[in-house]
Amino acid sequence: MADNPHLADDLRRVLIDEDAIAKRVDELAAEINEKYKDAEEPLILVGVLKGSFIFLADLSRRLTIPHIVDFIAISSYGQKGNQRGEVRLLMDTRENLSGHDVLIVEDILDSGSTLSYLIRTFKARTSKSVATAVFLDKPARHVVDIDIQFKGFEIPDVWVVGYGLDYKERHRTLPYIAEMIPEN
Ligand code: XMP
Ligand code: MG
């Protein structure tokens, strides 16, 4: 891959390069193919907008098992200023999840509020099973305990962008994960 890509001024360093991402997504897809290979109904991948859309696109194109792509949008409060960690559903799935295996696809696990809300919500809809695929995990930030079945990488407690992740909509389409230089 392009080693040493030219970095924008507000980025400190590349944390995970394109090759490492591709290799890890291959591995995750292989694990998911294996886990659901005997399922009777297609797996429903539920991507959490917007951050997960690139990870979900790469993952789904590597799946050989029958699957359906769907999305939800949520809003979370408490990211700036307060720490209430409230989550609200803004846009629901199109599919009826009842009776299906559901795999929630998230860009990053931070406090855990988002995923804990989503897991609860989907389990309540009598989905056959609810599992999570998370591209990045910041273990130092967890407030809620979350069981992740498919995890890409653990990263330190820094703000990261690229591969779907943004800072005020910037840097979302970078092919690598980079650490931001915090604004003062
Ligand atoms: P919780 O705290 O609910 O948060 O686990 C998950 C959501 O927080 C956002 N988030 C980030 N987004 N770079 C981003 O672009 C980051 O470093 C980062 N840390 C957390 C993200 O929206 C995620 O879904
Ligand atoms: Mg997100």
mmCIF file of all heavy atoms in Angstrom, residues 10 26 29 32 37 42 48 52 54 60 64-66 71 74 79 90 98 105 110 112 118-119 125 149-150 170 176 182:
data_model
loop_
_atom_site.group_PDB
_atom_site.id
_atom_site.type_symbol
_atom_site.label_atom_id
_atom_site.label_comp_id
_atom_site.label_asym_id
_atom_site.label_seq_id
_atom_site.Cartn_x
_atom_site.Cartn_y
_atom_site.Cartn_z
ATOM 1 N N ASP A 10 -4.370 18.192 10.453
ATOM 2 C CA ASP A 10 -4.995 17.915 11.751
ATOM 3 C C ASP A 10 -4.886 16.439 12.157
ATOM 4 O O ASP A 10 -5.504 16.006 13.112
ATOM 5 C CB ASP A 10 -6.463 18.371 11.757
ATOM 6 C CG ASP A 10 -7.269 17.775 10.604
ATOM 7 O OD1 ASP A 10 -6.672 17.109 9.731
ATOM 8 O OD2 ASP A 10 -8.496 17.977 10.592
ATOM 9 N N ASP A 26 -10.840 -9.514 6.096
ATOM 10 C CA ASP A 26 -10.850 -10.892 5.563
ATOM 11 C C ASP A 26 -11.064 -11.896 6.686
ATOM 12 O O ASP A 26 -11.874 -12.824 6.574
ATOM 13 C CB ASP A 26 -9.485 -11.238 4.938
ATOM 14 C CG ASP A 26 -9.349 -10.735 3.508
ATOM 15 O OD1 ASP A 26 -10.369 -10.363 2.904
ATOM 16 O OD2 ASP A 26 -8.206 -10.720 3.012
ATOM 17 N N ALA A 29 -14.578 -11.730 8.187
ATOM 18 C CA ALA A 29 -15.571 -12.311 7.278
ATOM 19 C C ALA A 29 -15.499 -13.839 7.331
ATOM 20 O O ALA A 29 -16.538 -14.515 7.331
ATOM 21 C CB ALA A 29 -15.347 -11.802 5.857
ATOM 22 N N ILE A 32 -17.249 -14.994 10.403
ATOM 23 C CA ILE A 32 -18.710 -14.844 10.292
ATOM 24 C C ILE A 32 -19.279 -15.920 9.358
ATOM 25 O O ILE A 32 -20.298 -16.552 9.652
ATOM 26 C CB ILE A 32 -19.065 -13.419 9.811
ATOM 27 C CG1 ILE A 32 -18.657 -12.406 10.889
ATOM 28 C CG2 ILE A 32 -20.556 -13.298 9.485
ATOM 29 C CD1 ILE A 32 -18.667 -10.949 10.433
ATOM 30 N N LYS A 37 -22.762 -20.611 8.937
ATOM 31 C CA LYS A 37 -22.842 -21.423 7.710
ATOM 32 C C LYS A 37 -24.051 -22.350 7.676
ATOM 33 O O LYS A 37 -24.537 -22.686 6.601
ATOM 34 C CB LYS A 37 -21.539 -22.191 7.479
ATOM 35 C CG LYS A 37 -21.216 -23.287 8.480
ATOM 36 C CD LYS A 37 -19.914 -23.969 8.064
ATOM 37 C CE LYS A 37 -19.613 -25.233 8.812
ATOM 38 N NZ LYS A 37 -19.438 -25.112 10.264
ATOM 39 N N PRO A 42 -31.354 -16.124 5.946
ATOM 40 C CA PRO A 42 -30.210 -15.234 5.738
ATOM 41 C C PRO A 42 -29.894 -14.407 6.989
ATOM 42 O O PRO A 42 -30.802 -14.008 7.718
ATOM 43 C CB PRO A 42 -30.669 -14.304 4.605
ATOM 44 C CG PRO A 42 -31.893 -14.908 4.025
ATOM 45 C CD PRO A 42 -32.454 -15.875 5.021
ATOM 46 N N VAL A 48 -24.893 0.537 11.547
ATOM 47 C CA VAL A 48 -25.271 1.733 12.301
ATOM 48 C C VAL A 48 -24.707 2.947 11.556
ATOM 49 O O VAL A 48 -23.497 3.111 11.448
ATOM 50 C CB VAL A 48 -24.722 1.674 13.746
ATOM 51 C CG1 VAL A 48 -25.224 2.870 14.547
ATOM 52 C CG2 VAL A 48 -25.103 0.360 14.422
ATOM 53 N N SER A 52 -20.501 3.190 10.075
ATOM 54 C CA SER A 52 -20.191 1.794 9.751
ATOM 55 C C SER A 52 -20.255 1.482 8.255
ATOM 56 O O SER A 52 -19.993 0.353 7.857
ATOM 57 C CB SER A 52 -21.176 0.870 10.479
ATOM 58 O OG SER A 52 -22.441 0.949 9.855
ATOM 59 N N ILE A 54 -18.620 1.943 5.480
ATOM 60 C CA ILE A 54 -17.497 1.417 4.693
ATOM 61 C C ILE A 54 -17.100 0.022 5.203
ATOM 62 O O ILE A 54 -16.909 -0.909 4.429
ATOM 63 C CB ILE A 54 -16.318 2.405 4.721
ATOM 64 C CG1 ILE A 54 -16.735 3.676 3.957
ATOM 65 C CG2 ILE A 54 -15.062 1.777 4.121
ATOM 66 C CD1 ILE A 54 -15.684 4.757 3.904
ATOM 67 N N SER A 60 -19.494 -7.159 3.930
ATOM 68 C CA SER A 60 -20.573 -7.888 3.250
ATOM 69 C C SER A 60 -20.089 -8.467 1.921
ATOM 70 O O SER A 60 -20.506 -9.549 1.523
ATOM 71 C CB SER A 60 -21.793 -6.996 3.050
ATOM 72 O OG SER A 60 -21.524 -6.024 2.069
ATOM 73 N N THR A 64 -19.737 -15.114 2.159
ATOM 74 C CA THR A 64 -20.216 -16.097 1.188
ATOM 75 C C THR A 64 -21.547 -16.699 1.634
ATOM 76 O O THR A 64 -22.194 -17.406 0.880
ATOM 77 C CB THR A 64 -19.167 -17.216 1.020
ATOM 78 O OG1 THR A 64 -18.831 -17.701 2.325
ATOM 79 C CG2 THR A 64 -17.916 -16.684 0.339
ATOM 80 N N ILE A 65 -21.938 -16.424 2.875
ATOM 81 C CA ILE A 65 -23.231 -16.915 3.365
ATOM 82 C C ILE A 65 -24.339 -15.976 2.887
ATOM 83 O O ILE A 65 -24.086 -14.798 2.649
ATOM 84 C CB ILE A 65 -23.248 -16.959 4.912
ATOM 85 C CG1 ILE A 65 -22.777 -15.594 5.470
ATOM 86 C CG2 ILE A 65 -22.409 -18.096 5.450
ATOM 87 C CD1 ILE A 65 -23.115 -15.391 6.897
ATOM 88 N N PRO A 66 -25.578 -16.505 2.773
ATOM 89 C CA PRO A 66 -26.682 -15.616 2.400
ATOM 90 C C PRO A 66 -26.874 -14.538 3.467
ATOM 91 O O PRO A 66 -26.885 -14.850 4.660
ATOM 92 C CB PRO A 66 -27.896 -16.555 2.373
ATOM 93 C CG PRO A 66 -27.343 -17.938 2.292
ATOM 94 C CD PRO A 66 -26.005 -17.911 2.959
ATOM 95 N N PHE A 71 -29.895 -1.028 7.511
ATOM 96 C CA PHE A 71 -29.268 0.040 8.283
ATOM 97 C C PHE A 71 -30.223 0.592 9.321
ATOM 98 O O PHE A 71 -31.434 0.522 9.161
ATOM 99 C CB PHE A 71 -28.876 1.211 7.355
ATOM 100 C CG PHE A 71 -27.748 0.888 6.424
ATOM 101 C CD1 PHE A 71 -28.002 0.481 5.117
ATOM 102 C CD2 PHE A 71 -26.432 0.973 6.850
ATOM 103 C CE1 PHE A 71 -26.959 0.170 4.252
ATOM 104 C CE2 PHE A 71 -25.384 0.671 5.995
ATOM 105 C CZ PHE A 71 -25.645 0.267 4.695
ATOM 106 N N ILE A 74 -29.126 6.289 14.548
ATOM 107 C CA ILE A 74 -29.420 6.624 15.939
ATOM 108 C C ILE A 74 -28.836 7.995 16.237
ATOM 109 O O ILE A 74 -27.991 8.488 15.488
ATOM 110 C CB ILE A 74 -28.778 5.601 16.898
ATOM 111 C CG1 ILE A 74 -27.314 5.395 16.505
ATOM 112 C CG2 ILE A 74 -29.489 4.286 16.890
ATOM 113 C CD1 ILE A 74 -26.482 5.173 17.685
ATOM 114 N N GLN A 79 -22.287 12.880 24.171
ATOM 115 C CA GLN A 79 -20.926 12.761 23.650
ATOM 116 C C GLN A 79 -20.122 14.009 23.973
ATOM 117 O O GLN A 79 -18.924 13.962 24.116
ATOM 118 C CB GLN A 79 -20.954 12.509 22.151
ATOM 119 C CG GLN A 79 -21.418 11.088 21.884
ATOM 120 C CD GLN A 79 -21.351 10.719 20.434
ATOM 121 O OE1 GLN A 79 -21.326 11.572 19.576
ATOM 122 N NE2 GLN A 79 -21.324 9.441 20.146
ATOM 123 N N LEU A 90 -33.376 6.936 15.299
ATOM 124 C CA LEU A 90 -33.858 7.947 14.345
ATOM 125 C C LEU A 90 -34.448 7.300 13.104
ATOM 126 O O LEU A 90 -35.360 7.821 12.493
ATOM 127 C CB LEU A 90 -32.707 8.849 13.891
ATOM 128 C CG LEU A 90 -32.046 9.733 14.927
ATOM 129 C CD1 LEU A 90 -30.971 10.572 14.262
ATOM 130 C CD2 LEU A 90 -33.078 10.625 15.605
ATOM 131 N N SER A 98 -37.596 -10.355 13.079
ATOM 132 C CA SER A 98 -38.096 -11.485 13.839
ATOM 133 C C SER A 98 -37.732 -12.814 13.174
ATOM 134 O O SER A 98 -37.943 -12.996 11.976
ATOM 135 C CB SER A 98 -39.615 -11.301 13.967
ATOM 136 O OG SER A 98 -40.191 -12.500 14.362
ATOM 137 N N VAL A 105 -23.536 -4.103 12.963
ATOM 138 C CA VAL A 105 -22.206 -3.728 12.471
ATOM 139 C C VAL A 105 -21.942 -2.279 12.866
ATOM 140 O O VAL A 105 -22.640 -1.369 12.418
ATOM 141 C CB VAL A 105 -22.114 -3.907 10.939
ATOM 142 C CG1 VAL A 105 -20.729 -3.522 10.440
ATOM 143 C CG2 VAL A 105 -22.449 -5.358 10.555
ATOM 144 N N ASP A 110 -17.120 2.696 22.135
ATOM 145 C CA ASP A 110 -16.512 3.695 23.017
ATOM 146 C C ASP A 110 -17.024 3.422 24.432
ATOM 147 O O ASP A 110 -16.558 2.506 25.096
ATOM 148 C CB ASP A 110 -16.902 5.077 22.456
ATOM 149 C CG ASP A 110 -16.154 6.215 23.095
ATOM 150 O OD1 ASP A 110 -16.579 6.661 24.172
ATOM 151 O OD2 ASP A 110 -15.147 6.686 22.526
ATOM 152 N N GLY A 112 -19.943 2.232 25.122
ATOM 153 C CA GLY A 112 -20.784 1.035 25.066
ATOM 154 C C GLY A 112 -22.269 1.353 25.093
ATOM 155 O O GLY A 112 -23.094 0.463 24.897
ATOM 156 N N LEU A 118 -28.721 -0.964 21.410
ATOM 157 C CA LEU A 118 -29.131 -1.698 20.198
ATOM 158 C C LEU A 118 -29.323 -3.185 20.466
ATOM 159 O O LEU A 118 -30.274 -3.795 19.973
ATOM 160 C CB LEU A 118 -28.089 -1.500 19.091
ATOM 161 C CG LEU A 118 -28.013 -0.081 18.531
ATOM 162 C CD1 LEU A 118 -26.892 0.032 17.517
ATOM 163 C CD2 LEU A 118 -29.351 0.316 17.899
ATOM 164 N N ILE A 119 -28.449 -3.754 21.258
ATOM 165 C CA ILE A 119 -28.580 -5.184 21.573
ATOM 166 C C ILE A 119 -29.906 -5.420 22.301
ATOM 167 O O ILE A 119 -30.673 -6.325 21.965
ATOM 168 C CB ILE A 119 -27.379 -5.673 22.417
ATOM 169 C CG1 ILE A 119 -26.101 -5.651 21.568
ATOM 170 C CG2 ILE A 119 -27.624 -7.079 22.973
ATOM 171 C CD1 ILE A 119 -24.811 -5.815 22.366
ATOM 172 N N ARG A 125 -37.048 -7.747 20.005
ATOM 173 C CA ARG A 125 -37.854 -8.022 18.808
ATOM 174 C C ARG A 125 -37.813 -9.489 18.419
ATOM 175 O O ARG A 125 -38.063 -9.832 17.268
ATOM 176 C CB ARG A 125 -37.331 -7.200 17.650
ATOM 177 C CG ARG A 125 -37.536 -5.726 17.875
ATOM 178 C CD ARG A 125 -36.944 -4.978 16.728
ATOM 179 N NE ARG A 125 -37.073 -3.551 16.941
ATOM 180 C CZ ARG A 125 -36.669 -2.650 16.062
ATOM 181 N NH1 ARG A 125 -36.103 -3.047 14.939
ATOM 182 N NH2 ARG A 125 -36.810 -1.380 16.312
ATOM 183 N N GLN A 149 -18.741 -10.195 19.490
ATOM 184 C CA GLN A 149 -18.382 -11.488 18.889
ATOM 185 C C GLN A 149 -17.287 -11.342 17.837
ATOM 186 O O GLN A 149 -16.454 -12.217 17.668
ATOM 187 C CB GLN A 149 -19.614 -12.146 18.253
ATOM 188 C CG GLN A 149 -20.571 -12.764 19.261
ATOM 189 C CD GLN A 149 -21.283 -11.721 20.104
ATOM 190 O OE1 GLN A 149 -21.710 -10.677 19.606
ATOM 191 N NE2 GLN A 149 -21.400 -11.986 21.390
ATOM 192 N N PHE A 150 -17.315 -10.239 17.096
ATOM 193 C CA PHE A 150 -16.337 -10.043 16.016
ATOM 194 C C PHE A 150 -15.749 -8.649 16.163
ATOM 195 O O PHE A 150 -16.454 -7.654 15.990
ATOM 196 C CB PHE A 150 -17.020 -10.203 14.650
ATOM 197 C CG PHE A 150 -17.799 -11.486 14.530
ATOM 198 C CD1 PHE A 150 -19.176 -11.501 14.727
ATOM 199 C CD2 PHE A 150 -17.156 -12.686 14.256
ATOM 200 C CE1 PHE A 150 -19.897 -12.679 14.646
ATOM 201 C CE2 PHE A 150 -17.867 -13.877 14.174
ATOM 202 C CZ PHE A 150 -19.251 -13.866 14.367
ATOM 203 N N ARG A 170 -15.399 15.383 8.558
ATOM 204 C CA ARG A 170 -14.114 15.383 7.852
ATOM 205 C C ARG A 170 -13.445 14.007 7.933
ATOM 206 O O ARG A 170 -13.590 13.297 8.909
ATOM 207 C CB ARG A 170 -13.157 16.414 8.460
ATOM 208 C CG ARG A 170 -13.354 17.820 7.903
ATOM 209 C CD ARG A 170 -12.603 18.854 8.699
ATOM 210 N NE ARG A 170 -11.140 18.685 8.691
ATOM 211 C CZ ARG A 170 -10.347 18.968 7.660
ATOM 212 N NH1 ARG A 170 -10.864 19.427 6.533
ATOM 213 N NH2 ARG A 170 -9.046 18.800 7.745
ATOM 214 N N TYR A 176 -7.430 4.669 5.515
ATOM 215 C CA TYR A 176 -6.759 4.164 6.719
ATOM 216 C C TYR A 176 -7.399 4.798 7.951
ATOM 217 O O TYR A 176 -8.209 5.729 7.836
ATOM 218 C CB TYR A 176 -5.259 4.503 6.693
ATOM 219 C CG TYR A 176 -4.964 5.934 6.295
ATOM 220 C CD1 TYR A 176 -5.064 6.976 7.212
ATOM 221 C CD2 TYR A 176 -4.622 6.253 4.970
ATOM 222 C CE1 TYR A 176 -4.816 8.285 6.845
ATOM 223 C CE2 TYR A 176 -4.379 7.571 4.593
ATOM 224 C CZ TYR A 176 -4.481 8.583 5.544
ATOM 225 O OH TYR A 176 -4.261 9.881 5.165
ATOM 226 N N PRO A 182 -6.028 16.733 18.746
ATOM 227 C CA PRO A 182 -7.201 17.373 19.345
ATOM 228 C C PRO A 182 -7.194 18.884 19.130
ATOM 229 O O PRO A 182 -6.141 19.505 19.156
ATOM 230 C CB PRO A 182 -7.073 17.049 20.833
ATOM 231 C CG PRO A 182 -6.077 15.949 20.929
ATOM 232 C CD PRO A 182 -5.190 16.040 19.734
#
